[in-house]
Amino acid sequence: MYKNHLKKTPPAAFLQFTLPNLGKLTLAKAAFLYMLGGTLGTLWEVIFNVFFQIANGYTIQFIYCSGSLFTTFNPVYGFGTLVIVIFLRHIRKNWQVFLCGAILGGLVEILLSLLEEALLGTRSWNYTTWPMNIAGRTTIPIMILWGALCMAVIFAFWKPIDRFFEKLPQKTLKVLGWCALVLILFDLALTCAAIFRYVNRSSPAYTAFGDWIDKTFPDSFMRKHFPSMKIKK
């Protein structure tokens, strides 16, 4: 009787019964998506810079693109991945994912650029010389790339990752998720502190922590790890 019931159960309902959090963005999934999306974004930036150097006849050299002090989690791509999954994971039509993704991707770039400039006094990207740019903070071609990226994330990335996480022991996943979240928050906090001191290096550090930041992450280190960052005067 139980076997017959399983046979008659629709696949979607059966998956909901066996994998109750399937399709849901739990804290653990969000943390790992941020890390994975940020790392893939860093890899993309590194590859893009290599091809850019080759195309322009420059000597090929490694350029730091993570936007972090010690991890590969690029915040723009990490938060971008989360925004994509949060708002687009229930959309089924390709053109809707592409269109909404292009708009969301552009908004993420604009908002993060404005926040960085307002809170830290720096600007990590400036597209004012690019065609079809929007206030120098994003461009139409880049928004199109965001749309294509969203299609890849939703249809080829999110669903397999979601099922993979659901098949793991849930208690273990929660513990690992909290550990990942602590690492992400520590990374963001330390990176922001280092950038804040980098921007305000002319003023003395009034705390032992600020003094440690200045000695551990001097200007030479910051210029190397944040090569595109410009301090707003």
Side-chain angles (χ1 to χ4, degrees):
M1 181 176 178
Y2 181 68
K3 290 182 178 178
N4 292 333
H5 174 72
L6 285 181
K7 288 180 181 179
K8 294 178 182 178
T9 303
F14 180 70
L15 284 175
Q16 189 175 12
F17 175 73
T18 56
L19 306 173
N21 289 322
L22 188 67
K24 298 178 182 178
L25 186 61
T26 62
L27 183 144
K29 292 179 188 177
F32 286 114
L33 280 174
Y34 175 93
M35 294 166 66
L36 188 55
T39 299
L40 290 176
T42 296
L43 180 62
W44 154 252
E45 292 282 345
V46 170
I47 294 173
F48 175 83
N49 277 297
V50 168
F51 279 101
F52 180 83
Q53 292 173 69
I54 293 174
N56 289 276
Y58 299 147
T59 301
I60 299 176
Q61 56 181 347
F62 177 78
I63 298 177
Y64 286 91
C65 303
S66 68
S68 166
L69 292 178
F70 62 92
T71 73
T72 57
F73 315 147
N74 187 301
V76 174
Y77 291 95
F79 285 119
T81 301
L82 289 180
V83 170
I84 290 170
V85 172
I86 289 170
F87 289 100
L88 304 181
R89 69 184 188 276
H90 298 304
I91 299 178
R92 294 291 178 264
K93 294 184 179 180
N94 292 352
W95 69 269
Q96 291 177 339
V97 171
F98 177 83
L99 182 60
C100 293
I103 295 171
L104 279 174
L107 286 175
V108 167
E109 278 204 301
I110 291 171
L111 290 175
L112 288 181
S113 177
L114 289 171
L115 282 173
E116 179 190 357
E117 189 170 345
L119 298 177
L120 300 175
T122 60
R123 189 164 175 178
S124 294
W125 60 90
N126 191 338
Y127 300 117
T128 51
T129 60
W130 290 44
M132 294 182 284
N133 74 84
I134 301 175
R137 300 184 188 277
T138 190
T139 74
I140 300 300
I142 287 180
M143 290 175 67
I144 292 173
L145 287 177
W146 273 109
L149 175 64
C150 288
M151 292 181 65
V153 168
I154 295 302
F155 296 118
F157 180 73
W158 160 245
K159 290 183 179 179
I161 289 292
D162 184 29
R163 292 199 180 196
F164 170 76
F165 283 137
E166 281 304 299
K167 291 177 181 179
L168 296 177
Q170 291 304 296
K171 289 185 178 180
T172 303
L173 181 61
K174 285 183 180 179
V175 172
L176 293 176
W178 277 107
C179 292
L181 180 62
V182 170
L183 175 61
I184 291 168
L185 293 177
F186 177 76
D187 175 37
L188 288 173
L190 190 61
T191 298
C192 288
I195 293 174
F196 179 81
R197 283 304 305 152
Y198 178 46
V199 172
N200 297 281
R201 200 80 80 188
S202 57
S203 301
Y206 294 105
T207 65
F209 177 69
D211 188 54
W212 176 81
I213 288 285
D214 286 349
K215 293 178 180 177
T216 308
F217 309 110
D219 288 355
S220 57
F221 178 94
M222 297 299 290
R223 284 192 294 267
K224 182 178 180 180
H225 285 76
F226 301 88
S228 61
M229 180 179 290
K230 305 299 179 185
I231 300 176
K232 302 295 291 185
K233 302 296 184 181

